[in-house]
Amino acid sequence: MTNLLEVKNLSVSFHTAQGELQAVRDVSFSLRPGEVLAIVGESGCGKSVLCKAIMKLLSREAYIKGGSILVEGVDITNYGEREMERLRGKLFSMVFQDPMTSLNPTISIGKQIAEAVQIHHPKMTKSEVYDKVIELMKLVGIEEPEERYRLYPYHFSGGMRQRSVMAIALASNPRMLFADEPTTALDVTIQAQILDLLREIQKKLNTATILVTHDLGVVARVADRVAVMYAGKIVEIGTAREIFYDARHPYTWGLMRSLPAYAKEDQELYTIPGMPPTLVDPPRGDAFACRNEYALDIDYEEMPPMFKVSDTHYAATWLLHERAPEIKSPVEGMKLSVAGRNVSMAGRNVSGTEKIASIEVDTAKYERAESEEKSPVMSETAGALEVESAEPSASHDDILLDVQHLTHQFKLSKSAVVRAVDDVSFQIRKGEIFGLVGESGSGKSTVARCVMNVYRPQGGRILFNGIDVCDRKQFKENQKLLQTARQIIFQNSTSSLNQRMKIADIVTEPLEIHHMKTARGTLRNEAEFQLHYVGMDKSYLDKYPSELSGGMRQRVAIARALSMEPELLVADEPIASLDVSIQAQIINLLKHCNLEHGCSILFIAHDLSVVRYLCDRIGVMYRGKLVEVAPTKELFENPRHPYTKRLLSAIPVPDPELERSRVISEFDSAQVGQNGQDESGGSGQVELRLAGEPMSDVNGRMVEVCPGHLVMKGGHE
Amino acid sequence: MIRKNPFVYYGQKLLIFILSVLLLSVVVFYVSRLAPGDPLVSYYGDRVEKMSVEERRWAEDKLGLNDPIHVQYVRWVENALEGNFGISYKYKMDVLEVIGGRLANTMILGGVGFVLIFVLALGLGIFCAWHEDNWLDRVICKVGTITSCIPEFWLSLVLILIFAVNLRWLPSSGAYSVGNKDDILDRVVHLILPMTVTVVNHLWYYAYMIRNKLLEEVRTEYVLLAKSKGLSKKNILFKHCLRNIIPSYLSIMAISVPHILGGTYIVETVFSYPGIGTLSYESARYQDYNLLMILCILSGIVVILCNMIAQVINERIDPRMRENEIAETSEVTNVG
């Protein structure tokens, strides 16, 4: 079979103030028709640049320094803008990371798709275009396309927008589709839907796809082949099976090991030490050498060539040289710990054959998790103690934060009200890490903000150390305590740190505000200490947030919170926008803070695999209600609420065999009495709920199924 | 924002408008009387110097200048509500008559100037954005910045010097040559210099804004998507980017009407162009209270109206705003 796309020794550089930035260095790969190639790596390693360079979508600072791009044998490297315009859309098109920004907000969805249709079929009549648009919308799973045609992007939820973007990308039936982190900005459950859609369409239309992502779980689900990129180079390339079961490059090992899914209990998450090198002046030899625990002397001197492992599998590491010492892959023998499934990586054999490796599934556990309600453990457990609210199971002085029947609404207009948080009760004990999980819009952040006194809740009480934080009088009396003992970290560290302040000032600002004595003499010493604590040296003190990477900024945010020595740290999706390896670092840091400072953490996330490693107890939120609260182990092994089950089943597993065979549990919304309007439904991004309307879906009571495990039982029984 | 009945919405705007105008009139009335100078001078001219104390007193009584200021103000408001804005001390005519002809002159200079600025800025901005960062764009940017830094009065004087005094191609002052009041061509010729100054002075500010807003828009991700579906540069710029910046451009232009109008006042004075600008200058200088009041209030109404139009444009033109369905987080309160 001939190659559809062939990239030979491609190098792309940017002009920057510091000099030439070599974003892509000497990359070669090929793409066959109808194949899915995944490109994986940390951010800044040149994945996106590579794709955009092929489509010539880069900004004017970028230029192709060398190499060639061949499409079916035709060299398009030197094509100008005119010629590219003819190719784009027809030969290849692209799906971008953030569906919130990749659609024009002022043009209706239908028109934007129609535009894409018309470009390459200028002779089509209006009604033909319309029919084609409707067909496309159906193809990508947008229901009732005729009605949605006229809607604007802001009417759509994230998942629906990404579907629309895919419809646009597929409008002219392109031979190649570049998907640049298409699911990173989406919820776990929607992520799975979009991936399945991508795979389905790719099979139906036989579109070759390049999927750029940092999430190995995503890769396992859809990719035929995987290329791992580091510092602008492809360091390993092979079939999905080869990469996942027989990785050879230490960087690939590192990426796999830092996944929380591989984490052993009570053990720090593995992190790749150090940072990716700057590409303005790339190091001599192997760029990964300084972060590589298996680095050989030659790694610092000479760049490793691509060694052949098999016909399809190549890796650029000196470890594969015949004279190199033999090193056993650290990934082997690691246990995947995924909801209800324990899979061992050992005993797999992938000696070049296509043979499916035997998967050891701990059947006993597997069945126990899957056999849901039939399990007799449930309702009969010691007469299923019915409790009105989450009854504190710990003694009273143990409880740091007590949220009781918290309710908060947002008024949209005179008649429409969104119940962001509806009768939520939970407790956080001293020194505990409590995880709050749910898809976007489920009210997690609103809870956090109520706890922090940002919003004034309309109902319920929030007791912090016995002080009612919403009571004006009690707040006044304990103002200083409340403002210092509770600290928050936000998701977006770019916008939550003042761009005009130096790091040192950011970290110590709360101390100044409260005129607090510093334990370490001057404010500067204090800042230095806190930075040191979060793993940054004092050279950062005089830098500005914009000079730091996302992970570093998040560390600064943590340092700022810790400078107050809080009793409660509220972390509102602190890692959602970070790379896998950086995520692991931040999680380790938070765990460390918890152990050393003894501060309680309210950790908010939509990613269950992270929460599993970090949290002691987890609460699952769905549409403003807390539907299940349980200790982490219990929740993962024995989820009771259908929504929890769905969330658990949607976690992508970094294992191609398992991931592909897995059917994501359909969360039939009817099961909980809703009319399925969240994803495919028309009410739009913010779900409108009328004030008086009974909440039929999750209108149950919390039932304690076994000690410490509370589940919302609704009308669906 | 919560959806409002249009009747209530515009009713509120009207109320705010009336209140603003009233407040403006109070301030102008008091402040103009605080300024030093003798209003009788504009009424009687040089004869004031020869007046006896009694004659002066009588004249002041006749013009109602001896009452306390608030009494004078109430009288002025009462008369104004009946449509009587008093007489001009200098021209001894009803102020509305004095203004009449000059208003048209200013409308021509300011109005046509505004339209020219609006259209040229759009064109120039698009042109520069299209040629982003090549030599054409760079030259225009540099020249534009320089021109917008030149003060109006200086530019006017230099142009008069070159084209009227040295070259004698164009007239230096007035709206028409003596005796040629109805000759349109003559009026156009008289307009060339003041118009040039007005346009040159403001053009780059708006063109540059268009250019930068367009380029900002070009850098957004939806443009990448549009590009990747094969849309040409022209279509992206005109169908996508321009469409998205027009609402903000319209509202900014609406706010800038008074700004441009203020510029023409200075230009009028330099070119002795018989418009509202020269008149305002004279009336303030000679304490012609009634004339000053009506001029200030007229200008004020224009300013307030334009601001309101800008506000309405902002609130209505964006499809997201138009429906007003999704509330911004309404309540952010902090206890204590």
Side-chain angles (χ1 to χ4, degrees):
Chain A
M1 211 170 1
T2 53
N3 287 332
L4 180 59
L5 174 77
E6 189 147 1
V7 175
K8 281 184 189 159
N9 306 95
L10 185 71
S11 296
V12 182
S13 290
F14 286 80
H15 295 293
T16 66
Q18 287 85 39
E20 179 198 351
L21 181 106
Q22 303 174 21
V24 173
R25 302 187 294 157
D26 196 21
V27 164
S28 306
F29 70 91
S30 59
L31 186 70
R32 282 188 288 276
E35 178 187 46
V36 181
L37 172 71
I39 301 180
V40 196
E42 287 168 285
S43 60
C45 67
K47 304 167 295 197
S48 291
V49 175
L50 179 62
C51 287
K52 286 181 184 162
I54 295 169
M55 281 187 76
K56 301 249 170 74
L57 287 177
L58 289 168
S59 60
R60 49 182 61 236
E61 291 81 26
Y63 59 99
I64 292 180
K65 199 179 154 201
S68 54
I69 305 160
L70 301 162
V71 175
E72 292 182 315
V74 183
D75 191 339
I76 64 160
T77 324
N78 296 314
Y79 271 27
E81 192 63 15
R82 281 273 157 91
E83 289 143 312
M84 288 310 288
E85 268 166 21
R86 242 171 286 143
L87 292 182
R88 286 185 202 132
K90 198 151 200 177
L91 177 70
F92 37 41
S93 61
M94 200 158 179
V95 175
F96 295 90
Q97 174 173 1
D98 191 354
M100 296 309 189
T101 56
S102 55
L103 289 166
N104 189 338
T106 61
I107 301 179
S108 71
I109 296 280
K111 268 198 187 151
Q112 294 195 46
I113 303 174
E115 204 178 43
V117 174
Q118 276 166 327
I119 293 165
H120 295 286
H121 307 92
K123 283 183 192 137
M124 265 190 171
T125 62
K126 268 196 173 168
S127 65
E128 276 170 353
V129 171
Y130 180 80
D131 292 343
K132 174 80 183 164
V133 172
I134 299 296
E135 188 194 314
L136 278 167
M137 287 170 90
K138 277 183 188 149
L139 177 73
V140 296
I142 300 176
E143 285 163 32
E144 299 163 24
E146 290 87 357
E147 281 158 47
R148 302 249 161 79
Y149 186 93
R150 277 173 296 105
L151 294 182
Y152 287 89
Y154 66 94
H155 288 117
F156 280 37
S157 63
M160 289 284 280
R161 287 188 201 199
Q162 201 60 298
R163 284 169 198 265
S164 314
V165 172
M166 283 174 68
I168 289 173
L170 296 168
S172 301
N173 210 348
R175 309 277 305 277
M176 270 179 268
L177 184 68
F178 295 93
D180 187 359
E181 307 252 8
T183 58
T184 310
L186 302 174
D187 275 337
V188 202
T189 45
I190 294 157
Q191 173 179 330
Q193 293 174 7
I194 295 287
L195 284 176
D196 287 350
L197 177 69
L198 196 74
R199 183 85 204 178
E200 189 187 308
I201 288 173
Q202 185 265 335
K203 281 208 177 109
K204 210 189 267 178
L205 307 177
N206 202 29
T207 318
T209 306
I210 292 185
L211 176 73
V212 172
T213 179
H214 66 260
D215 190 339
L216 282 167
V218 167
V219 174
R221 192 161 182 88
V222 294
D224 298 319
R225 288 200 300 144
V226 180
V228 181
M229 269 189 95
Y230 181 75
K233 291 177 80 82
I234 290 186
V235 294
E236 185 163 10
I237 187 165
T239 63
R241 207 165 272 125
E242 284 164 342
I243 297 292
F244 278 98
Y245 303 144
D246 190 27
R248 295 301 174 94
H249 198 283
Y251 181 62
T252 317
W253 296 341
L255 280 184
M256 307 253 279
R257 285 170 75 190
S258 53
L259 287 171
Y262 285 112
K264 290 184 195 110
E265 268 174 65
D266 307 324
Q267 203 179 337
E268 284 227 324
L269 285 183
Y270 175 80
T271 57
I272 306 173
M275 300 278 294
T278 145
L279 294 173
V280 173
D281 185 19
R284 197 157 60 119
D286 187 1
F288 187 59
C290 53
R291 301 173 71 187
N292 183 357
E293 52 187 296
Y294 308 104
L296 309 170
D297 286 343
I298 190 168
D299 274 322
Y300 295 95
E301 297 300 326
E302 212 171 313
M303 230 183 269
M306 276 289 197
F307 286 98
K308 186 175 169 182
V309 181
S310 74
D311 281 344
T312 49
H313 189 179
Y314 294 84
T317 168
W318 285 114
L319 291 178
L320 291 172
H321 194 268
E322 50 195 7
R323 282 167 55 202
E326 211 164 293
I327 284 165
K328 201 171 168 287
S329 157
V331 184
E332 249 169 68
M334 279 188 358
K335 284 209 169 202
L336 262 181
S337 47
V338 190
R341 277 152 284 203
N342 273 18
V343 186
S344 159
M345 290 287 283
R348 272 173 202 244
N349 104 61
V350 248
S351 48
T353 51
E354 282 279 302
K355 190 173 169 266
I356 296 175
S358 60
I359 308 169
E360 281 178 28
V361 179
D362 190 335
T363 27
K365 270 189 178 171
Y366 189 85
E367 272 170 18
R368 191 173 139 209
E370 294 297 302
S371 62
E372 5 178 298
E373 278 123 312
K374 288 167 215 150
S375 150
V377 197
M378 173 115 196
S379 43
E380 279 77 38
T381 310
L385 189 61
E386 288 237 351
V387 270
E388 267 248 279
S389 70
E391 203 63 40
S393 39
S395 73
H396 262 285
D397 5 306
D398 228 18
I399 287 169
L400 178 69
L401 184 78
D402 190 356
V403 176
Q404 300 174 350
H405 306 286
L406 181 71
T407 302
H408 189 73
Q409 304 180 333
F410 289 113
K411 213 170 173 185
L412 294 188
S413 67
K414 269 177 196 158
S415 54
V417 159
V418 156
R419 265 191 229 179
V421 177
D422 194 6
D423 195 13
V424 164
S425 304
F426 63 90
Q427 286 92 25
I428 299 179
R429 294 185 206 113
K430 280 178 182 154
E432 183 184 46
I433 306 183
F434 184 80
L436 208 52
V437 192
E439 59 196 8
S440 53
S442 60
K444 305 168 304 226
S445 290
T446 312
V447 170
R449 285 170 193 194
C450 286
V451 168
M452 291 303 292
N453 272 128
V454 177
Y455 295 150
R456 191 178 165 74
Q458 271 115 14
R461 291 204 306 166
I462 298 170
L463 298 177
F464 179 81
N465 259 340
I467 306 160
D468 188 344
V469 299
C470 304
D471 184 275
R472 279 173 205 276
K473 195 167 152 251
Q474 289 194 37
F475 183 87
K476 277 250 162 74
E477 284 166 4
N478 301 291
Q479 191 167 4
K480 190 163 172 178
L481 171 79
L482 287 175
Q483 284 177 349
T484 55
R486 299 173 302 166
Q487 293 297 325
I488 189 163
I489 305 164
F490 293 97
Q491 169 174 5
N492 189 339
S493 55
T494 320
S495 59
S496 64
L497 300 178
N498 189 336
Q499 300 295 312
R500 302 265 175 270
M501 278 170 82
K502 287 182 179 169
I503 300 299
D505 299 329
I506 291 173
V507 172
T508 54
E509 195 188 17
L511 291 168
E512 280 181 74
I513 292 170
H514 293 287
H515 308 290
M516 282 168 63
K517 276 212 189 93
T518 54
R520 278 155 282 271
T522 61
L523 286 174
R524 206 174 161 80
N525 287 348
E526 181 72 30
E528 192 183 322
F529 173 82
Q530 295 298 353
L531 279 192
H532 181 73
Y533 187 83
V534 297
M536 294 166 75
D537 64 53
K538 62 181 174 187
S539 67
Y540 285 101
L541 282 175
D542 290 315
K543 290 199 167 156
Y544 289 94
S546 55
E547 299 172 68
L548 270 54
S549 66
M552 284 294 179
R553 280 198 292 262
Q554 208 55 282
R555 280 169 194 262
V556 172
I558 294 173
R560 187 204 58 78
L562 288 181
S563 72
M564 305 303 290
E565 289 172 9
E567 287 175 61
L568 176 69
L569 191 60
V570 176
D572 190 356
E573 304 234 18
I575 54 163
S577 53
L578 301 174
D579 268 345
V580 192
S581 56
I582 314 287
Q583 279 189 0
Q585 293 171 11
I586 299 293
I587 292 169
N588 282 341
L589 179 60
L590 283 174
K591 188 114 186 167
H592 194 61
C593 295
N594 169 254
L595 291 175
E596 286 233 324
H597 279 249
C599 64
S600 306
I601 300 177
L602 172 58
F603 187 87
I604 292 169
H606 62 258
D607 188 350
L608 267 171
S609 54
V610 168
V611 181
R612 171 185 193 141
Y613 166 72
L614 185 67
C615 299
D616 303 317
R617 284 195 307 137
I618 296 174
V620 179
M621 277 191 81
Y622 178 63
R623 296 190 172 174
K625 293 251 184 186
L626 197 62
V627 293
E628 188 159 2
V629 187
T632 307
K633 205 164 176 237
E634 169 75 14
L635 187 86
F636 273 81
E637 282 173 3
N638 196 10
R640 291 301 174 82
H641 196 274
Y643 180 69
T644 315
K645 284 177 192 156
R646 184 202 191 195
L647 267 186
L648 285 176
S649 78
I651 305 173
V653 187
D655 181 321
E657 298 297 343
L658 205 64
E659 181 64 24
R660 259 166 242 213
S661 60
R662 202 160 61 91
V663 181
I664 287 165
S665 113
E666 273 300 314
F667 175 53
D668 184 9
S669 316
Q671 208 178 343
V672 276
Q674 253 284 335
N675 46 7
Q677 280 225 326
D678 57 337
E679 236 325 271
S680 47
S683 64
Q685 196 183 352
V686 174
E687 193 203 344
L688 296 172
R689 238 175 272 138
L690 296 181
E693 192 187 318
M695 298 266 300
S696 55
D697 50 350
V698 275
N699 214 7
R701 289 203 291 174
M702 291 299 256
V703 178
E704 187 160 20
V705 285
C706 57
H709 188 165
L710 297 138
V711 184
M712 164 113 14
K713 304 288 266 175
H716 61 279
E717 305 264 323
Chain B
M1 204 208 306
I2 289 160
R3 189 187 297 193
K4 275 182 200 155
N5 180 341
F7 189 71
V8 177
Y9 179 79
Y10 289 105
Q12 277 178 350
K13 295 250 178 256
L14 188 69
L15 197 71
I16 293 170
F17 175 75
I18 291 170
L19 282 175
S20 313
V21 173
L22 259 180
L23 196 69
L24 176 76
S25 70
V26 174
V27 173
V28 174
F29 201 86
Y30 276 70
V31 170
S32 64
R33 273 152 184 77
L34 289 177
D38 189 353
L40 291 183
V41 173
S42 66
Y43 199 92
Y44 294 101
D46 293 342
R47 278 181 291 153
V48 173
E49 285 167 26
K50 294 170 197 153
M51 274 180 168
S52 66
V53 179
E54 287 76 37
E55 278 175 320
R56 231 190 119 81
R57 220 192 138 71
W58 175 82
E60 276 174 354
D61 269 342
K62 187 184 138 204
L63 294 176
L65 293 171
N66 282 330
D67 299 324
I69 294 184
H70 62 268
V71 177
Q72 287 185 40
Y73 177 71
V74 171
R75 187 164 59 223
W76 179 86
V77 172
E78 277 170 7
N79 288 333
L81 286 178
E82 288 166 15
N84 172 16
F85 291 92
I87 56 157
S88 158
Y89 298 163
K90 190 175 174 212
Y91 297 93
K92 323 277 187 310
M93 285 198 287
D94 192 294
V95 285
L96 292 179
E97 266 174 66
V98 177
I99 290 170
R102 290 171 171 246
L103 193 63
N105 284 341
T106 296
M107 293 295 270
I108 291 167
L109 180 60
V112 176
F114 180 80
V115 173
L116 273 179
I117 291 169
F118 185 90
V119 175
L120 288 178
L122 204 57
L124 196 60
I126 294 171
F127 181 83
C128 285
W130 180 272
H131 293 282
E132 187 203 348
D133 237 15
N134 73 13
W135 66 272
L136 256 174
D137 176 44
R138 285 184 200 187
V139 168
I140 294 176
C141 282
K142 297 277 180 321
V143 172
T145 313
I146 294 168
T147 55
S148 59
C149 290
I150 301 172
E152 281 156 328
F153 67 90
W154 187 85
L155 186 64
S156 314
L157 291 177
V158 170
L159 287 182
I160 289 174
L161 199 67
I162 297 173
F163 292 100
V165 179
N166 288 341
L167 295 173
R168 292 184 181 277
W169 287 353
L170 296 164
S172 68
S173 65
Y176 46 86
S177 315
V178 183
N180 279 344
K181 201 177 175 179
D182 299 323
D183 184 349
I184 292 186
L185 195 71
D186 185 54
R187 281 182 177 256
V188 171
V189 169
H190 275 86
L191 262 177
I192 292 178
L193 281 185
M195 191 73 86
T196 310
V197 175
T198 313
V199 172
V200 164
N201 216 277
H202 293 282
L203 179 61
W204 183 244
Y205 179 79
Y206 302 102
Y208 195 54
M209 193 190 76
I210 289 277
R211 173 190 180 270
N212 288 350
K213 276 195 175 281
L214 269 179
L215 291 182
E216 210 174 278
E217 210 67 22
V218 167
R219 308 242 185 293
T220 53
E221 216 168 61
Y222 74 79
V223 168
L224 269 185
L225 182 74
K227 247 187 184 176
S228 79
K229 66 186 178 189
L231 213 58
S232 66
K233 191 176 166 187
K234 192 182 91 198
N235 277 335
I236 289 176
L237 208 61
F238 284 92
K239 283 198 185 158
H240 282 259
C241 301
L242 202 58
R243 183 197 175 97
N244 289 2
I245 62 162
I246 287 297
S248 57
Y249 183 54
L250 280 179
S251 72
I252 286 176
M253 284 313 277
I255 294 178
S256 63
V257 168
H259 185 62
I260 292 172
L261 217 61
T264 66
Y265 281 16
I266 296 173
V267 174
E268 280 179 10
T269 318
V270 178
F271 285 96
S272 318
Y273 185 85
I276 299 290
T278 12
L279 204 60
S280 309
Y281 173 74
E282 283 172 14
S283 61
R285 197 170 156 197
Y286 298 114
Q287 316 280 314
D288 197 342
Y289 291 146
N290 286 335
L291 193 55
L292 187 62
M293 278 302 287
I294 188 86
L295 287 173
C296 285
I297 284 169
L298 269 182
S299 313
I301 288 175
V302 173
V303 174
I304 296 165
L305 262 186
C306 288
N307 276 314
M308 282 189 163
I309 291 170
Q311 207 182 342
V312 173
I313 290 174
N314 263 339
E315 282 168 13
R316 300 266 135 169
I317 209 160
D318 194 314
R320 284 165 291 188
M321 299 283 210
R322 214 186 295 144
E323 290 180 32
N324 290 340
E325 266 177 2
I326 291 149
E328 286 161 38
T329 311
S330 51
E331 194 202 0
V332 181
T333 45
N334 203 336
V335 190

